[in-house]
Structure formats: C-alpha cells, structure tokens
Amino acid sequence: MEKLNVAVIFGGHSSEYSVSLESAGAVISNLDTEKYHAVPVGITKEGDWFYFKGDPAAIRENTWHNKSDCTPAALSPNRSEHCLMLFEEDGVKKLPVDVVFPVLHGKNGEDGTVQGAAELAGIPLAGCGVLASALCMDKDRAHRLAAAAGIRVPRAVVIKSGAAYADDYDRADAFAAEIGYPLYVKPVKAGSSFGVTKVTAHDQLHNAIVLAFQYDDQVILEENIDGFEVGCAVLGNDQLITGEVDEIELSGGFFDFTEKYTLKTSAIHVPARIDAHKSDEVKQAAQLIYQTLGCSGFARVDLFLTPGGEIVFNEVNTIPGFTEHSRYPGMMKAAGHTFGWIIDQIIRLAVKAP
C-alpha cells in the first residue's frame, strides 16, 4: 500500500504554542511509518508557515525554526492540487498532501481557522471540521446548544469589551451578586485555562475581567459547580468509541494551566472513582454533546459531577493535549487502545478508510 502523506501542523499564533510542540512531537513519533509519511508543517508564534525537514526532536525542544531545516510553505487552496507549496530559492515546488492533521491548541488553530484552510483545499481533515471547532471554542454558544439538548450547564453571563459595552461591567456585578462567590471568569474563546480566574470575593472581580479580556474580546462569568471534574475521550464520526472516564482530584484552587501540565498539587484518576452506572451516564452525556456540537474524528468532553450525581457540561476540547501522558490518550489506553492505534484511527476516519 502506498504511504499517505500526513501534514502534521503544529505551533501557531496562540498562547498555547508550546503545548502544541509537545503534542505534535508525540504524534509524529508515533505515526505508523509503514502506512504514513509525516509532513511536518510548523507555524511560528508570529504566524509564518514552514515545511520542517529536520529531526522531530527539535519540535519538542522548540529549536525547529531554523534556516537549514525550514522552507517557507503554505497549503495550496486549489482543490485540484492537494499539496503543500514550498517556496524554495529556485521556485515553487509542490509536496502532495493526503491528510491534514492539525495538532494546534487554542485560538488560530483549534477554532476552525486552520480547518477552513484544509476544507477549502479539499484535503481530508483529521479531527473536527470548521463549524464544530468554532462552536466548541466558543464556551457560550457551546453551552447554549448543549442546554438545548437537555444537558445541564452552569449559569452564566457574557460581557464584551469596548466603549459601546460599558454597561456590561454593571451586568457582571449584578450577576455576581445574584449567584454569589466563588465564580469563574473566563475568556469566551481560549484554551488551557489561559485568562481564567476563580473569583472568591467582589474585590477580585474586575481584575479578573481585565485579565480575561487580554485573551478575547468577550468574557464569560460562570457559576461555580460543586463537585469534581470528569473527562471523556470520544473517537469516531457516526459510530463512537469512548475511553474510560477520568477524574481530576484537586487539593485546592482549580485546574489551571500550571496544574494541567505539571500536576503539582492535583492528580488524575483513570478510571474515575465512580461506579460503573455513573461512568456510563457520563459517557452517554459526552457522546450526546459530541454529536450535538457536530464533532468528528476525536475530541475530549469535560464535565462536572456534583455531590448529588448530576452531570454538568464544562467544555469540549477538539484538539486536546496529545502526548503519551495526556488525558485523552490516557483514557483511551485505559480502555485498551494504544497511542499509535488512536492516531491511526483518527487518520483513517479522515480518509474514511474501512
């Protein structure tokens, strides 16, 4: 069988640039070399695209962007070409691409922008498409659709930046007074908990809003949900596979960027310390949310489980952390699936192989 050229896109103009490098390095290292040929495409923090032909280890080390290993590149938008255009000194060369596999996190990568480039070019896309990616990145609209499907979501209010929305700060104050503290202030569209603050008193509220506005022009205030967070890895298009449900155990605070990537004071339990019946309920809720938001390929659905056993939707990560030690592969591993198998299935789903 002829190998498929898989364009693994990494980096990006996003606050989650460094996380993407770790994930992409793992994906490239675990590609089945008998089936696939990796075509690494790096995007710098400034947003410039390059075809990278060096040692994959340099991606994780963030030394990939250098003159000897990089060639300026771009996906051809021509649907008849299915290629990466390489802008070399002696002219433009074309490298065939069979699948685009974005391994990008956060804005300008997980929000439908890069997915749109692949769909415009007519190249099979690994993972969620434009609409699902955009919806899942938008916490407000994702919650509204999940609620319409019968899933409980946190009470929330969205405020906007700019002089035209000066009264929104008053709306934020009124909402906080109504639901009480603690509450969460988050950018509507951001990932890895960047710009998120757990606000425990009114005198912290406005600073938290200012911080969140550094990451997006819309900010959401959400009620605190008593209980703990659980996650569910979902894989598939029509027929869905789930990993084992995991559980985040916190010693205090919330699962912020530091805790997500260092686990300094928290722990992740796979499987979650819940009974089989409740685990099945979480999986069913995750699949419903996945389908409601139009997800395909793969995604991680994060939820809360209250002391009374109620399931509350938190968010969907359409390109979750993807190293050998990340939550998504960990949940799938607990269900008996290897990291290499997961990557193979995601690519096969993109090309719709049997």
Side-chain angles (χ1 to χ4, degrees), residues 8-336:
V8 179
I9 305 180
F10 63 89
H13 183 60
S14 163
S15 52
E16 297 174 72
Y17 171 88
S18 60
V19 182
S20 172
L21 301 188
E22 292 287 339
S23 294
V27 168
I28 291 169
S29 298
N30 285 276
L31 275 177
D32 186 339
T33 55
E34 293 187 0
K35 295 180 180 179
Y36 311 114
H37 173 68
V39 179
V41 180
I43 305 175
T44 66
K45 289 182 178 180
E46 294 73 32
D48 295 327
W49 289 48
F50 294 92
Y51 168 54
F52 173 71
K53 53 185 180 291
D55 186 343
I59 297 174
R60 283 177 157 173
E61 295 165 0
N62 195 21
T63 57
W64 69 273
H65 185 213
N66 60 79
K67 191 171 183 179
S68 60
D69 291 329
C70 289
T71 302
L75 279 179
S76 170
N78 295 335
R79 297 179 71 86
S80 61
E81 293 188 325
H82 287 199
C83 74
L84 187 72
M85 297 183 294
L86 309 181
F87 303 104
E88 299 185 346
E89 291 183 0
D90 56 348
V92 178
K93 296 184 180 178
K94 297 177 181 180
L95 179 59
V97 172
D98 299 299
V99 181
V100 170
F101 195 149
V103 189
L104 300 154
H105 305 299
K107 293 179 69 174
N108 302 304
E110 197 174 351
D111 57 3
T113 50
V114 169
Q115 290 77 8
E119 292 191 11
L120 180 67
I123 303 173
L125 173 68
C128 292
V130 173
L131 179 59
S133 299
L135 281 174
C136 292
M137 178 61 68
D138 190 312
K139 297 176 178 65
D140 178 44
R141 289 170 174 82
H143 280 195
R144 290 174 186 269
L145 285 172
I151 302 291
R152 182 187 160 189
V153 300
R155 288 181 293 169
V157 67
V158 174
I159 63 174
K160 300 179 181 181
S161 63
Y165 304 101
D167 291 344
D168 276 11
Y169 276 87
D170 293 335
R171 291 177 58 233
D173 286 337
F175 177 77
E178 177 187 345
I179 67 166
Y181 297 93
L183 59 81
Y184 286 90
V185 176
K186 308 175 180 180
V188 168
K189 299 181 287 293
S192 289
S193 295
F194 281 108
V196 177
T197 304
K198 183 178 183 179
V199 178
T200 58
H202 181 264
D203 60 2
Q204 303 168 5
L205 181 60
H206 283 212
N207 285 341
I209 292 172
V210 170
L211 174 63
F213 273 135
Q214 293 179 20
Y215 295 89
D216 193 26
D217 59 1
Q218 295 183 74
V219 167
I220 188 168
L221 282 69
E222 287 183 1
E223 70 169 317
N224 178 65
I225 302 296
D226 290 329
F228 56 90
E229 187 173 338
V230 293
C232 184
V234 184
L235 174 73
N237 293 338
D238 301 316
Q239 300 297 318
L240 303 182
I241 298 171
T242 58
E244 290 297 329
V245 175
D246 77 355
E247 169 197 347
I248 298 170
E249 180 185 13
L250 294 174
S251 62
F254 71 100
F255 207 46
D256 61 10
F257 179 84
T258 300
E259 288 298 332
K260 284 180 178 179
Y261 298 106
T262 67
L263 296 177
K264 280 187 175 181
T265 63
S266 57
I268 296 176
H269 300 278
V270 189
R273 297 172 297 178
I274 56 179
D275 63 42
H277 177 70
K278 186 57 64 177
S279 178
D280 286 341
E281 284 188 17
V282 170
K283 291 176 183 178
Q284 289 168 11
Q287 290 186 39
L288 175 58
I289 292 166
Y290 185 95
Q291 292 171 324
T292 297
L293 296 176
C295 296
S296 57
F298 69 105
R300 192 189 73 227
V301 182
D302 295 337
L303 310 110
F304 298 108
L305 197 57
T306 71
E310 188 174 13
I311 295 167
V312 184
F313 176 45
N314 182 17
E315 63 181 359
V316 175
N317 285 270
T318 54
I319 308 180
F322 225 80
T323 71
E324 295 91 336
H325 308 293
S326 298
R327 291 176 63 197
Y328 186 99
M331 287 184 271
M332 283 296 185
K333 181 179 179 182

